[in-house]
Amino acid sequence: MRADRVHAYGAALGLLGDLLLGDPRRGHPVAAFGRAAGAVERVLWRDHRGWGALHTVVCAGGAVVLGAAADRAVRRSPAASVALASAATWAVVGGTSLAREARAVGRALEAGDVEGARARLPHLCGRDPQALDADGIARAVVESVAENTSDAVVGALVWGAVGGVPGLLGFRAVNTLDAMVGHRSPRYRRFGWASARLDDLAGWPGARLTAVLAAVAGDRPRAAVRAWRDDAHLHPSPNAGPVEASFAGALGVRLGGTLSYGGRVEHRPVLNGTAGRAVVAHDIERAVRLSRRVGLLALGVTVAARLIAKGRSS
């Protein structure tokens, strides 16, 4: 079976598996990678960019090599190749868990249980929940849904189309490393620099595709494009900016503003500020539905792109 067809069947089955099953409750491969990366960090950590780069190469490179070895081992069996591609896609895509956690916070807010929503928010993002009121929690959830649609769904599908199973595992490894060591704490300011920069590079194509598809799939295409064009560059993240701005325009809300991470307050520019309204609890469900549509469209786009590229090269 041709590699492009293996990818098409594997990606579709893997995304279906995520929709039906979500993430495994125990023994998640990404969690296993995180433990391994943590063990490597304990050996290699120095307050130095070079040692951080080595940590990134060992961990992300190891994931790519593992994927390539597994792919090679099953190459002669079409059924095993599809099974591997679908298992890898299911393991690295996290759309259903994202939707589940977002909806849990949304239900608590709609029931008036702000404390319950605060308790649940850390499952979804790293904001300081005690610093947020109900609308602030809702805004944090919508921003997290937007950003993670790119990181946990679209970006993975893009790199699966580009690099097959090694691309899938490599992208998730880079994204996980950024979450572990890529933030600007005193411990990781130098050591995590390479992981953060590599995550920016790996996330670039998926973020732009996510922004495009949010405009296509949302109720306000022109507003999404306008917010992306006018406001995305104001965001400190080169990838979260386009995604959050496009989601803000598509949903007709304002995102950005003051937020707090680990006791550190940031004042971010407001996205879609002139045309959008404040986020409220029911916008969480709207954001989840938009995220679902974007994920399904991304599957179609990435599979079609690989089939077309293979057809032109043959």
Side-chain angles (χ1 to χ4, degrees), residues 53-271:
L54 179 60
H55 175 258
T56 303
V57 169
V58 169
C59 296
V64 172
V65 169
L66 177 63
D71 196 36
R72 187 178 183 85
V74 301
R75 186 167 296 174
R76 294 188 178 183
S77 171
S81 295
V82 170
L84 176 64
S86 62
T89 302
W90 172 67
V92 305
V93 168
T96 293
S97 293
L98 172 64
R100 181 187 300 126
E101 294 298 335
R103 282 170 167 156
V105 177
R107 285 193 298 269
L109 289 176
E110 291 180 354
D113 183 8
V114 177
E115 287 304 316
R118 287 191 178 118
R120 193 81 187 192
L121 186 64
H123 293 267
L124 190 64
C125 64
R127 306 282 176 89
D128 292 334
Q130 297 306 318
L132 299 173
D133 59 11
D135 289 351
I137 293 170
R139 175 168 61 86
V141 172
V142 171
E143 290 172 356
S144 184
V145 168
E147 185 173 359
N148 282 291
T149 299
S150 176
D151 289 343
V153 183
V154 180
L157 293 174
V158 167
W159 282 101
V162 171
V165 171
L168 285 164
L169 299 190
F171 175 78
R172 178 53 61 225
V174 169
N175 193 247
T176 303
L177 287 174
D178 179 61
M180 293 177 66
V181 304
H183 40 89
R184 296 182 178 180
S185 66
R187 177 177 175 84
Y188 295 124
R189 190 177 304 276
R190 294 184 181 87
F191 185 82
W193 178 86
S195 291
R197 297 291 77 75
L198 184 58
D199 183 66
D200 287 343
L201 290 172
W204 196 96
R208 274 72 194 168
L209 179 58
T210 303
V212 169
L213 296 180
V216 171
D219 297 331
R220 299 171 175 83
R222 291 183 179 179
V225 172
R226 183 172 58 250
W228 178 8
R229 180 194 64 206
D230 294 345
D231 299 336
H233 68 282
L234 302 173
H235 197 287
S237 168
N239 294 330
V243 172
E244 291 185 17
S246 186
F247 262 70
L251 296 170
V253 299
R254 297 190 302 270
L255 298 179
T258 302
L259 50 86
S260 176
Y261 285 102
R264 177 170 50 88
V265 176
E266 293 185 17
H267 301 284
R268 292 184 178 175
V270 175
L271 308 176

Side-chain angles (χ1 to χ4, degrees), residues 33-59:
F33 171 81
R35 290 191 293 272
V40 174
E41 178 191 340
R42 287 191 289 274
V43 174
L44 295 181
W45 188 89
R46 308 287 191 282
D47 189 17
H48 191 276
R49 286 187 176 186
W51 285 95
L54 179 60
H55 175 258
T56 303
V57 169
V58 169
C59 296

